[in-house]
């Protein structure tokens, strides 16, 4: 999982090095188009196209009979039943390509989320850093000290504010004074871990969380190496502001990504000779 | 805020979908949202509220106000005649309209309805600057006709007849003449201008100030204060804020009272147990995310806090995020807490007799040994050290819970600033009044609608309420004088950024910029000039001797920026700096209703003396209400009026005579300098309906007492003012003139606020309408 | 309209005070006083009490 995420992150960083030169709506549209085309290819090779063709013919035939014999109740009912059956068969034939696409789609969406869901903090815009620890760790495990690079200020400096109540965590306020992809270092005794922090470069991808053992967190936040199950750290998170746009901003990008990839796939299906 | 104002905004969003295109086309055609345009003539007016001519001149001569002196040397300096009474809303309304109060309809901060709907008190006070009115926009009317005034939606009523604020300042503001003549105008934070009225024709930009409420619809703003100190000395009765008791359990700040305390009935697993007694919680079930359970060990010693993952109201099962750090047994004591809350106004959309307040949760964790805490609010964590002020924290107040209702009643966007006073031995957190978020303005405090967001995009979030220096927190002893000044400095920083924005975006035409710091700081610190002031200690007199001067110097810095900008970008600009009134100490207060009673004009009502509207209406011929006003209890006007109209003038003359004769038994000085009879000093359509029959012009050092404003009584006729608000200007008009400094020679002998509108219009070659009462001060 | 019973002596006192306070009838006075007290305990919509509170927040009065 970790290796796959590293490869994907590197790949997407390269892709966005080019796409990031243009406006964000364009990169979202291009990626949606590419995903739509890949989906078409997967459907072309992973589905029983002949069977889908037959189902489509059935659908056409039954639609025709509905139109021609609309006054004959028996024929209408029969055609409707066949249409329902054809629909179910169509869904059945789409299961293999959907299964093939599901995991890659989620991984791609997670990568895109790092670029469309959140934005880097602006210079001098305050945010917070939270180290969440396992609930069973001793109190001494809360004594983390944060070292900030040049261009990042933390408050309090050094040891963070410790939460030792309904959860165990250590929190700092962070303010980026210089734009850049900074590396924060956290130390507790001999243990030392890092977390990236992006300031001021609007086009950059962010990593809101360096995840722990949780599989869901590892899928959703793929940019940084996760902590192992033996680590006392459950996650290290930076709160990044959501991107604000009704097209390529927080939450909306997922909707438009799905809509655009489906629309583009439907438009291009004759080109690829795919039956859907 | 009346939540109906917000539902109106939301409803408008959904209802106007069909009309949006049409409106968009119209707005483009009419140009009501045009970008700033260049204009060959520039007039810049800076309004420094409450700047006093004597101190200004002294500081200029000492070289402490170099930019005021620079402007004076370019043109003129002198006193500026103010209005009757010299109160800011009245004065700035005269500035805006060029009319006396009889023409613009503002006579005091507080007006009264002499004959309100019954049952109720015989008269009803209200804020004079703006009010909330019912609204039936044209696009809602068909829906109202079919569906009624509101739609019942589960636990909520979605209002179709909604509400909006209405500006009660009448008359035409001078910028309307300007924009009609094609002159762009920008009016930043003018008092008594809320809600902002959009102009059409050319670029018009406005942000409002005094009169703009916070989320609770309070013009002064309502702060919140959370303290675990049970002995905290807090003057809650003064209004403008509330204190809430909290406690700290295992480093977590929780409300003083648990929402539910009970003993565990059955333990299902390490993280699941059944707790009876749910009837106490069910009405608040929607707010449960983030609750904690606190369990005591069997012996009752030691407590452990765990977050609740889910609550099942059917089986009464609580599921925790993680197990307690000891084995939970039946009969163990468990307390369930809701998080601490910030409260907004009553949510009138809830379909219940008792409307709950809008709420937003927050939680704080106190560090085990550092003087710091982590506060979770608005989905963010803020780390604060003791004595630290936070940035603006955006927060949302949910209007509705459930699956579908939130889509129809979306949360109200707002924001607040926090001040962590201390964490140990007691946790004390001040939360500023909840301000509307300039990025999503829920009420009309700017023109055009997106202007506040444009400003916030450039300078960050800023106080959107009027009178942002939180004087009520100081008056109620929640903030110390030093803490108040820290907060005022935050406001000051925001103002400086806003001025820079205003100058950067000014391309000619009119620019008006208002600076309120000189007024509110003077109210609280000018009193140190009086060596006898009963509300100021010797220590304070020394420590804050230069505080007002410090703010005058800040005003000078802002003027300097403007002069520098103009020298570079608009060398021919007319630049005028004015103030609306001066200042005087306020060390003695006249309980006017006590005085009226003592002189046989009024009688106290049946309630405790300090109760508002405590007048015996059957036997009172006159009553005092507002800051300067005395009203005759006039038959045919007041609902319980007893004075015949033909007896009114004799009564007014009698009161005037006796007021002027009144001598303070403590000082031997006259309390009242001048008494103004409205019929004689005002003209215009609002004199008969709104004006107090008499406006009392107090002598130096005096003012109406605190109790007079709401027609209450005090303990004695004249009393010491021991309030931190130790200076004022609501006295005789000629004692507190404002200032005018400009880069053109003044020709008028006694320039006044009323002259400013015609003066500005003339600079753009516009002949002032004959209805304007003043004259051009430069010609 | 609901009716409630009160002691005769209390009613006389109410009547006397209502007259003094200038109310048209004891009923009107009772309604006003009950509403005012209820506003303090359980405010409903924008009560008179709330209006007073907001006006106090202006700073110039208490």
């Amino acid at each position: 999982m970790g290796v796959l995420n590293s490869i994907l992150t590197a790949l997407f960083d390269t892709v966005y090095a080019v796409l990031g030169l243009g406006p964000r709506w364009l990169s979202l549209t291009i990626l949606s188009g590419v995903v739509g085309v890949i989906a078409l290819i997967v459907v072309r090779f992973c589905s029983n196209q002949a069977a889908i063709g037959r189902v489509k013919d059935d659908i056409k035939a039954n639609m025709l009979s509905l139109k021609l014999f609309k006054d004959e109740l028996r024929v209408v009912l029969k055609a409707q039943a066949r249409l329902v059956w054809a629909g179910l068969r169509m869904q059945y034939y789409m299961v293999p390509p959907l299964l093939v696409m599901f995991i890659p789609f989620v991984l791609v969406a997670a990568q895109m989320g790092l670029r469309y869901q959140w934005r880097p903090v602006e210079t001098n815009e305050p945010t917070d850093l939270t180290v969440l620890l396992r609930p069973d760790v001793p109190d001494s495990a809360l004594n983390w000290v944060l070292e900030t690079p040049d261009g990042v200020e933390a408050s309090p400096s050094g040891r963070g504010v410790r939460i030792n109540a309904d959860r165990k965590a250590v929190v700092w306020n962070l303010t980026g004074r210089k734009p850049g992809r900074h590396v924060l270092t956290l130390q507790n005794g001999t243990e030392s871990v890092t977390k990236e922090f992006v300031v001021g470069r609007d086009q950059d991808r962010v990593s809101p969380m360096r995840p722990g053992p949780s599989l869901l967190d590892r899928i959703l936040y793929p940019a940084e190496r996760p902590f192992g199950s033996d680590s006392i750290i459950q996650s290290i998170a930076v709160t990044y502001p959501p991107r604000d746009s009704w097209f390529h901003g927080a939450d909306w990008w997922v909707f438009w990504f799905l809509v655009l990839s489906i629309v583009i796939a439907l438009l291009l299906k004759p080109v690829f000779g795919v039956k859907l | 805020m009346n939540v109906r104002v917000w539902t109106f905004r939301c409803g408008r969003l959904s209802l106007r979908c069909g009309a949006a295109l049409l409106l968009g086309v119209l707005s483009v055609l009419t140009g009501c949202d045009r970008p700033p345009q260049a204009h060959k003539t520039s007039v810049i007016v800076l309004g420094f509220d409450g700047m006093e001519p004597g101190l200004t001149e002294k500081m200029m001569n000492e070289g402490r106000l170099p930019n005021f002196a620079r402007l004076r040397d370019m043109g003129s300096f002198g006193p500026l005649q103010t209005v009757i009474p010299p109160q800011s809303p009245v004065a700035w309304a005269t500035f805006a309209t060029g009319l006396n109060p009889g023409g613009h309809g503002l006579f005091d901060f507080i007006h009264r309805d002499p004959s309100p709907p019954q049952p109720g008190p015989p008269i009803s006070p209200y804020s004079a600057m703006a009010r909330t009115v019912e609204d039936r926009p044209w696009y809602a009317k068909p829906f109202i006709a079919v569906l009624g005034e509101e739609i019942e939606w589960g636990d909520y009523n979605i209002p179709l007849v909604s509400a909006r604020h209405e500006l009660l300042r009448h008359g035409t503001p001078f910028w309307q003449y300007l924009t009609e003549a094609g002159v762009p105008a920008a009016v930043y934070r003018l008092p008594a201008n809320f809600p902002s009225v959009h102009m059409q024709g050319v670029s018009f930009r406005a942000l409002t100030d005094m009169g703009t409420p916070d989320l609770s619809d309070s013009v002064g703003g309502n702060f919140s204060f959370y303290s675990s100190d049970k002995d905290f000395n807090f003057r809650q009765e003064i209004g403008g804020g509330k204190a809430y008791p909290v406690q700290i359990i295992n480093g977590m700040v929780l409300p003083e009272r648990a929402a539910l305390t009970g003993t565990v009935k059955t333990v299902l697993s390490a993280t699941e147990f059944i707790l009876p007694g749910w009837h106490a919680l069910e009405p608040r079930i929607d707010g449960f995310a983030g609750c904690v359970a606190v369990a005591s060990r069997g012996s009752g010693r030691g407590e452990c806090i765990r977050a609740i993952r889910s609550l099942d109201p059917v089986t009464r099962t609580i599921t925790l995020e993680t197990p307690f750090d000891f084995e939970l047994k039946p009969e163990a004591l468990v307390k369930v807490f809701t998080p601490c809350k910030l409260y907004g106004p009553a949510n009138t959309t809830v379909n219940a007799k008792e409307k709950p307040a809008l709420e937003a949760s927050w939680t704080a964790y106190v560090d085990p040994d550092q003087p710091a805490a982590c506060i979770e609010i608005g989905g963010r964590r803020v780390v604060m050290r003791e004595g630290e002020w936070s940035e603006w924290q955006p927060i949302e107040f949910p209007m509705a819970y459930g699956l579908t209702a939130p889509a129809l009643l979306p949360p109200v966007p707002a924001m607040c600033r926090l001040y962590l006073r201390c964490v140990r031995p007691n946790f004390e957190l001040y939360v500023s009044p909840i301000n509307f978020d300039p990025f999503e303005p829920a009420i009309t405090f700017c023109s055009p609608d997106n202007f506040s967001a444009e400003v916030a995009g450039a300078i960050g979030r800023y106080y959107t309420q009027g009178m942002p220096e939180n004087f009520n927190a100081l008056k109620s002893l929640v903030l110390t004088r030093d803490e108040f000044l820290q907060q005022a400095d935050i406001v000051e920083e925001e103002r400086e950024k806003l001025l820079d924005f205003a100058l950067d975006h000014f391309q000619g035409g009119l620019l008006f910029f208002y600076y309120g710091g000189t007024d509110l700081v003077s109210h609280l610190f000018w009193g140190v000039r009086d060596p006898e002031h009963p509300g100021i200690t010797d220590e304070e007199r020394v420590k804050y001797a230069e505080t007002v001067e410090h703010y005058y110097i800040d005003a000078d810095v802002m003027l300097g920026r403007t002069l520098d900008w103009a020298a570079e970008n608009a060398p021919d600009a007319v630049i005028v700096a004015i103030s609306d009134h001066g200042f005087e100490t306020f060390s003695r207060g006249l309980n006017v209703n006590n005085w009226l009673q003592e002189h046989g004009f009024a009688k106290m009502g049946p309630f405790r003396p300090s109760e508002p509207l405590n007048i015996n209406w059957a036997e009172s011929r006159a009553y005092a209400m507002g800051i300067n006003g005395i009203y005759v209890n006039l038959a045919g006007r007041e609902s319980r009026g007893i004075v015949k109209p033909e007896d009114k003038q004799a009564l007014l003359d009698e009161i005037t005579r006796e007021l002027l004769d009144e001598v303070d038994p403590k000082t031997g000085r006259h309390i009242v300098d001048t008494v103004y009879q409205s019929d004689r000093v005002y003209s215009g359509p609002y004199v008969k309906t709104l004006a107090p029959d008499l406006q009392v012009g107090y002598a130096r050092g005096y003012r109406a007492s605190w109790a007079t404003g709401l027609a209450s009584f005090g303990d004695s006729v004249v009393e010491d003012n021991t309030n931190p608000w130790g200076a004022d200007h609501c006295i005789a008009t000629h004692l507190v003139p404002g200032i005018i400094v400009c880069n053109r020679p003044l020709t008028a002998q006694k320039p006044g606020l009323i002259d400013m509108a015609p003066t500005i219009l003339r600079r753009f070659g516009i002949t002032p309408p004959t209805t304007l009462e003043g004259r051009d001060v430069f010609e | 309209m609901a009716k409630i019973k009160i002691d005769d002596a209390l009613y006389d006192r109410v009547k006397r005070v209502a007259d003094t306070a200038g109310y048209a009838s004891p009923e009107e006075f009772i309604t006003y006083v009950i509403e005012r007290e209820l506003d303090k305990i359980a405010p409903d919509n924008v009560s008179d009490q709330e209006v007073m509170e907001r006006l106090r927040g202006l700073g110039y009065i208490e």
Side-chain angles (χ1 to χ4, degrees), chain B residues 44 503 561-573 575:
Chain B
I44 301 174
L503 292 171
R561 285 187 198 202
T562 310
L563 294 180
D564 292 345
W565 180 90
E568 197 170 316
N569 299 286
D572 296 329
I575 301 172

Side-chain angles (χ1 to χ4, degrees), chain A residues 190-210:
Chain A
T190 54
E191 200 170 349
S192 177
V193 295
T194 59
K195 169 80 190 80
E196 70 164 43
F197 176 48
V198 188
V199 180
R201 301 197 305 202
D202 187 56
Q203 292 289 329
D204 274 15
R205 69 138 173 84
V206 296
S207 169
M209 184 190 285
R210 184 171 169 188

